[in-house]
Amino acid sequence: MPQPAAEAPVFLDVGSGPDARRIAVLVRPGDGPPLVWCGGFRSDMRATKAEALDGWARETGRALVRFDYTGHGESSGDFAGATISTWLEDARAVIAAFAPQRPLLVGSSMGGWIACLAARNGVAPSGLVLIAPALDFTEDLMWARFTPEIRATIERDGFWARPSEYSDVPVPITGALIADGRRHRMLGDAIDPGCAVHILQGMADPDVPWSHALRLVERLPPAGTVLTLIADGDHRLSRPQDLARLLAAVAGISGG
């Protein structure tokens, strides 16, 4: 049976001069505080969790905004030339254009960091749902884990081609990405996004260990912060039971 054609995105121009790029955005009109999906490192807005969230938004009549970062999915720009600052600018521009009124930010992995950074940089979310949030990952989960040989390669060549278990194409990890990530570190200080936070974390996650989620919980206000640990959950948390937990968390924190 033929599959329905994918919805065409709209494009938002972000940046200027050599940094100008077109960010692909999918907008579902609806009621209530809009949901904004912030995807993970090398992921895109049509991935499994984002599609599940879109199905829930369609069924409940909620507004949802999804987008691809610079160098991801259907957006333009060079992935290797982008940094956390680039992707935060993308997110803030999309929120300002399509969801300026107290959005509920749903962030997966790197998207959890981007969502928290957005809340620290002018966005006033109505809630945060974070899946395996990878705050400070460029330093704590990359650089700190790299061997001396890998660090030397980055310092000598400006990048390291990291093999990916999710793709046949290696991922370029640049010195600029590592250096820029240090400017945005959050786990050394208290974090108060001004809203309720629900974190979903797999305990069998090889990429973002559950101890990393505990570090975030320790820095959030106790009131309104919930952590759900999934003993057999991996990093993606895309099994049917994981998607059900995600949608329940979104419904609970949004009151829908």
Side-chain angles (χ1 to χ4, degrees):
M1 185 174 181
Q3 296 296 313
E7 178 185 357
V10 296
F11 289 90
L12 177 69
D13 292 327
V14 177
S16 60
D19 295 325
R21 63 267 190 197
R22 302 187 75 210
I23 300 302
V25 186
L26 291 172
V27 180
R28 177 174 294 283
D31 300 322
L35 311 174
V36 177
W37 173 257
C38 298
F41 188 70
R42 298 292 284 181
S43 187
D44 64 71
M45 63 182 173
R46 299 187 193 269
T48 303
K49 291 187 292 291
E51 289 289 338
L53 188 61
D54 182 64
W56 181 85
R58 181 180 65 251
E59 292 171 2
T60 58
R62 291 294 300 273
L64 171 66
V65 177
R66 297 181 277 166
F67 68 99
D68 285 332
Y69 305 110
T70 298
H72 290 67
E74 296 161 73
S75 291
S76 70
D78 177 25
F79 174 87
T83 62
I84 299 299
S85 291
T86 310
W87 299 323
L88 175 59
E89 184 180 27
D90 295 342
R92 293 181 66 195
V94 168
I95 292 167
F98 298 102
Q101 301 300 321
R102 299 278 292 171
L104 192 160
L105 305 181
V106 185
S108 177
S109 193
M110 181 183 80
W113 189 10
I114 295 295
C116 290
L117 284 170
R120 191 174 74 175
N121 288 272
V123 174
S126 60
L128 294 175
V129 175
L130 309 176
I131 307 115
L135 279 71
D136 301 1
F137 79 90
T138 51
E139 189 71 18
D140 296 348
L141 303 179
M142 284 185 172
W143 190 255
R145 293 179 172 184
F146 288 165
T147 64
E149 291 77 16
I150 292 172
R151 292 186 184 188
T153 295
I154 294 173
E155 290 168 347
R156 182 187 68 245
D157 302 336
F159 77 99
W160 169 57
R162 180 182 186 176
S164 172
E165 63 181 277
Y166 304 116
S167 170
D168 294 333
V169 180
V171 179
I173 306 300
T174 67
L177 174 68
I178 300 297
D180 181 76
R182 292 177 180 138
R183 298 177 46 220
H184 295 290
R185 297 184 73 179
M186 300 186 74
L187 291 176
D189 301 300
I191 300 171
D192 186 358
C195 63
V197 181
H198 193 148
I199 299 168
L200 301 169
Q201 175 68 50
M203 296 182 73
D205 184 341
D207 300 313
V208 181
W210 63 273
S211 58
H212 198 76
L214 290 181
R215 290 181 62 199
L216 173 56
V217 170
E218 290 170 349
R219 286 154 180 80
L220 289 165
T225 296
V226 174
L227 170 63
T228 298
L229 291 175
I230 303 160
D232 63 346
D234 61 8
H235 183 61
R236 288 188 171 188
L237 290 181
S238 293
R239 301 169 302 177
Q241 62 268 40
D242 299 325
L243 298 177
R245 292 185 182 100
L246 168 60
L247 299 181
V250 171
I253 210 167
S254 65

